[in-house]
Amino acid sequence: MRLLAKLFASLLIVLVVTLATFLTVLSTNFGLPMVKQAVRLLTPYELSATSLEYSLLAPFTLALSDPQLTHNSEPHKHRTVHFMSLRLSPLASLSGEITLRSVVVRGLEMDESVKSSLPSSLSIDHLALDDVTYHSDTISFAHADIQISDWHNSHSRWGSWQGKFQLSAPKIMVDGQILTNLLLDSEYRDDAWEIWGLSLSSPFGSVTGSATLQPDNQWVIHQLTLSDTRIEPSEPLQRLKTQWDTLSRNYSIHIKRLDLLDVSAALNDITVEHLNLSVQSVNLQNGELVWAQNAAASLLSFNASLFNVDQWLLTDLLAELSLSPTRINVSAFSSKVNDEGFVSFSGAMDTSSLKLNTLTANGLDIELNTATFDTLHQKWAAFNTVELGRLSIRHTNITLPDPSFPMQIIGLNLRGRDLIPRQNAQDGMWQGTLTASAAAASINRIPVTSPYANMRVDEVGDWHLDPLSVSFSQGQLSVKARIQLLNPSHPWTTEISGIRIPNSLYQRWLGVTLPLSGEHDVDIRLSGLGADDDSFAYSLSGDAVATLHQTEIETHPAQSLAQSLLALFVPLNRNSDSIQLPINVGKVMLSADRGRIKLAPVSVDARNGKALLSGSWDLVTKEGSLTNTSPR
């Protein structure tokens, strides 16, 4: 036993002396030849270098200037760098795997065959590549710096690592996109890639962010910021869109926060200037917005100096809202419109209701074509309930250029409070107060001036219209009405009076076939039930008196006066033979009793004859007739 101990001690002394001698020689001029010889004997490579740097103060670290490594079986292939520094790990290498504590390489022209030139059992705790150049079909860069932790030579394309991966490059090209000033601080561990920090400059502005690529092909973007950019249609933009489509098809994306700072864009359909936008909690699947179960509402806030889409030009735009699968909450929205108007609102909308806390509009000039109006009407009809807390619209013009019923309102003013204009999928004014006025209007080609309406729902649920007044070129119409909304039968009453009202009003506004021109005075008192059409027909009661002025009837020359009058409510077959026949009409008196309407005899005189008209109609049976009782 004592002999074995002596032999082991002697062997240890020899190893220590040999190692000390080897390290001492490394610090002399013989160090570089000795390293070359060691590489030649221990590896299938030949090493050449211009100089070796070594210090006994760092016994396991050496540096080579302009080293070149050549494989014995492939002497035409060699690797050359400007500088390489190695820090050995002798104890870790005792297992048979070549382990280096750290490696610094400067001036490497890298390609995919680099790792095949290295020992297959090589591992490096910390690898630093300075001034690296790489070119391929999809990515290329020069003068880049790369740092990798815990790198192992493996069957993977670039080897494998667990730990930090850091990259900086003054310029890099990725799939044709040129990026500059790239900085990447990331870590790959447990099959997840954490990007702690990313910053770069692109054709679309400066980009910073952090993200996680999870093993299930899901990107979690913790923060992404795009700033100081202008976007226009271009080849790089189209290429970016293609890259995004590919990325979104292959990965699900969860964006925790996205910020756009001072971004301007001039695209085919949209123009935006100086946009600042912040979005939180957004989920994308195949490029489409999706809602994860129990996901938090997405928060969105933005402002822009200009936003132009279609005919709308919005300036000084500001908005803050939250989005969920079934609800949109708008904390604030305000904007100037077309450099003349202003709009602001706040409220919430879900699949069946719209509730606005405030809605303010001033100086708008709105033109709605038939298609847009129909679309808005469909969206309105989809709501079961609509509520307006405070409504204020001033000096607004509205134009509906519908050929069948054109309308224009000039200088519209609306003021309302606690309004419910739609309830249980029925339109009406179910609650609140509302006043409306305008400077002028044209309703299906009938001009009016100074229209005014005042409506309210009182504390017992009765709706009051008191009054509605409309001025015509030579006359005026006034209406008062009341409906008991809380009564299921909806009892109602109305009083209508007017002087010099255009006769064409009934045909233009109500769609009643009545080919009469001229004017009339009217006094009407009616009441009934408004729950549905049947209750209206069974309950309509009251009377109406009208006096006609300067009346003409549109007819054909071959028709007698009696024929023209009896066909008064039948659509006229208009042609070039139609004429306007002046007539004198006596006082018209109508009375209604529970849906049965009677016309008292009224005299009509014209140059081609006289007539005495009377009639009766039953709204319940839908039967009735107009009779000429004068002698022929």
Side-chain angles (χ1 to χ4, degrees), residues 61-179:
T61 301
L62 58 87
L64 298 169
S65 298
D66 299 320
Q68 177 176 295
L69 195 64
T70 304
H71 199 283
N72 293 333
S73 62
E74 297 178 301
H76 60 285
K77 294 183 179 180
H78 56 270
R79 300 292 172 189
T80 303
V81 297
H82 298 315
F83 174 83
M84 181 170 62
S85 174
L86 307 175
R87 184 181 179 188
L88 307 177
S89 181
L91 294 179
S93 300
L94 294 177
S95 62
E97 181 181 47
I98 302 175
T99 302
L100 302 178
R101 182 68 57 84
S102 67
V103 174
V104 177
V105 178
R106 187 176 300 122
L108 174 65
E109 292 187 5
M110 187 170 61
D111 58 35
E112 296 180 16
S113 62
V114 167
K115 74 179 189 67
S116 64
S117 303
L118 303 176
S120 59
S121 61
L122 177 64
S123 67
I124 303 173
D125 293 342
H126 180 77
L127 173 62
L129 305 176
D130 300 336
D131 195 17
V132 178
T133 301
Y134 174 74
H135 298 285
S136 71
D137 294 337
T138 57
I139 185 171
S140 63
F141 53 80
H143 308 296
D145 297 332
I146 301 174
Q147 295 193 50
I148 304 175
S149 297
D150 197 13
W151 181 87
H152 299 268
N153 199 355
S154 67
H155 296 292
S156 300
R157 182 179 181 183
W158 295 105
S160 59
W161 78 90
Q162 288 286 331
K164 290 188 175 181
F165 178 90
Q166 298 172 319
L167 169 66
S168 65
K171 181 179 180 180
I172 183 170
M173 181 177 291
V174 180
D175 287 336
Q177 300 283 14
I178 298 178
L179 311 176

Side-chain angles (χ1 to χ4, degrees), residues 260-401:
L260 303 180
L261 305 178
D262 195 16
V263 174
S264 299
L267 305 176
N268 295 331
D269 301 324
I270 296 176
T271 300
V272 62
E273 295 288 344
H274 304 295
L275 171 67
N276 295 287
L277 178 145
S278 178
V279 182
Q280 298 183 42
S281 187
V282 176
N283 295 280
L284 300 173
Q285 191 75 40
N286 294 323
E288 300 291 335
L289 181 66
V290 297
W291 299 97
Q293 188 174 7
N294 299 325
S298 297
L299 303 180
L300 172 64
S301 62
F302 61 90
N303 63 78
S305 62
L306 181 147
F307 185 84
N308 181 216
V309 56
D310 296 329
Q311 78 272 23
W312 297 103
L313 176 63
L314 307 181
T315 55
D316 297 336
L317 179 63
L318 173 67
E320 183 175 342
L321 59 154
S322 65
L323 309 173
S324 67
T326 59
R327 188 175 179 86
I328 299 176
N329 286 292
V330 180
S331 300
F333 179 95
S334 65
S335 176
K336 293 180 180 178
V337 181
N338 295 337
D339 291 331
E340 297 178 354
F342 172 81
V343 63
S344 70
F345 64 88
S346 64
M349 179 181 71
D350 57 30
T351 55
S352 62
S353 66
L354 172 65
K355 182 178 181 180
L356 297 181
N357 301 321
T358 61
L359 173 59
T360 301
N362 188 14
L364 299 184
D365 195 349
I366 303 172
E367 180 174 337
L368 300 176
N369 57 37
T370 303
T372 303
F373 181 80
D374 290 342
T375 299
L376 293 176
H377 182 266
Q378 291 174 5
K379 294 184 179 298
W380 174 272
F383 292 121
N384 186 65
T385 303
V386 177
E387 300 181 18
L388 296 172
R390 291 185 179 181
L391 171 67
S392 177
I393 297 177
R394 301 181 61 192
H395 311 302
T396 293
N397 302 328
I398 299 178
T399 302
L400 302 175

Side-chain angles (χ1 to χ4, degrees), residues 15 55 80 94 112 195 224 226 267 272 288 331 344 390 446 448 467 515 522 552 554 580 589 609 617 629:
L15 290 175
S55 173
T80 303
L94 294 177
E112 296 180 16
I195 299 178
L224 180 63
L226 174 65
L267 305 176
V272 62
E288 300 291 335
S331 300
S344 70
R390 291 185 179 181
I446 296 181
V448 300
V522 68
E552 294 181 345
E554 187 174 2
Q580 294 293 123
M589 293 183 293
W617 298 268
T629 58

Side-chain angles (χ1 to χ4, degrees), residues 344-549:
S344 70
F345 64 88
S346 64
M349 179 181 71
D350 57 30
T351 55
S352 62
S353 66
L354 172 65
K355 182 178 181 180
L356 297 181
N357 301 321
T358 61
L359 173 59
T360 301
N362 188 14
L364 299 184
D365 195 349
I366 303 172
E367 180 174 337
L368 300 176
N369 57 37
T370 303
T372 303
F373 181 80
D374 290 342
T375 299
L376 293 176
H377 182 266
Q378 291 174 5
K379 294 184 179 298
W380 174 272
F383 292 121
N384 186 65
T385 303
V386 177
E387 300 181 18
L388 296 172
R390 291 185 179 181
L391 171 67
S392 177
I393 297 177
R394 301 181 61 192
H395 311 302
T396 293
N397 302 328
I398 299 178
T399 302
L400 302 175
D402 184 353
S404 61
F405 200 100
M407 181 183 297
Q408 184 179 32
I409 303 175
I410 300 174
L412 174 65
N413 295 291
L414 292 175
R415 183 174 296 275
R417 188 178 182 89
D418 300 327
L419 293 170
I420 300 180
R422 186 169 175 83
Q423 180 173 275
N424 297 326
Q426 293 183 341
D427 292 333
M429 184 173 168
W430 304 100
Q431 179 180 302
T433 61
L434 177 67
T435 59
S437 64
S442 175
I443 305 175
N444 198 11
R445 303 175 180 86
I446 296 181
V448 300
T449 57
S450 303
Y452 174 83
N454 179 56
M455 292 174 277
R456 64 184 177 88
V457 177
D458 62 23
E459 60 278 1
V460 297
D462 290 357
W463 175 80
H464 298 266
L465 173 64
D466 187 10
L468 166 65
S469 64
V470 177
S471 298
F472 302 97
S473 58
Q474 297 181 358
Q476 187 172 8
L477 174 68
S478 178
V479 180
K480 294 182 180 180
R482 178 181 177 182
I483 302 176
Q484 298 179 32
L485 298 176
L486 298 183
N487 189 318
S489 299
H490 292 171
W492 61 271
T493 61
T494 185
E495 298 178 7
I496 303 173
S497 62
I499 57 174
R500 296 289 179 174
I501 300 172
N503 294 336
S504 58
L505 179 145
Y506 301 98
Q507 187 164 341
R508 295 289 188 182
W509 290 8
L510 305 179
V512 177
T513 302
L514 190 64
L516 294 176
S517 61
E519 300 166 345
H520 67 282
D521 304 335
V522 68
D523 190 8
I524 301 174
R525 302 290 186 273
L526 295 175
S527 63
L529 303 176
D532 50 43
D533 292 342
D534 289 339
S535 63
F536 176 85
Y538 275 99
S539 63
L540 180 64
S541 299
D543 55 72
V545 179
T547 303
L548 280 70
H549 309 284

Side-chain angles (χ1 to χ4, degrees), residues 565-610:
L565 293 174
L566 292 177
L568 195 61
F569 298 103
V570 178
L572 178 68
N573 182 19
R574 290 180 172 85
N575 53 45
S576 58
D577 295 334
S578 299
I579 61 171
Q580 294 293 123
L581 178 65
I583 58 176
N584 294 320
V585 183
K587 183 173 291 188
V588 178
M589 293 183 293
L590 291 165
S591 62
D593 182 20
R594 297 183 180 182
R596 292 181 292 272
I597 302 174
K598 291 183 179 181
L599 172 64
V602 55
S603 62
V604 180
D605 294 337
R607 65 173 182 264
N608 61 345
K610 296 183 179 182

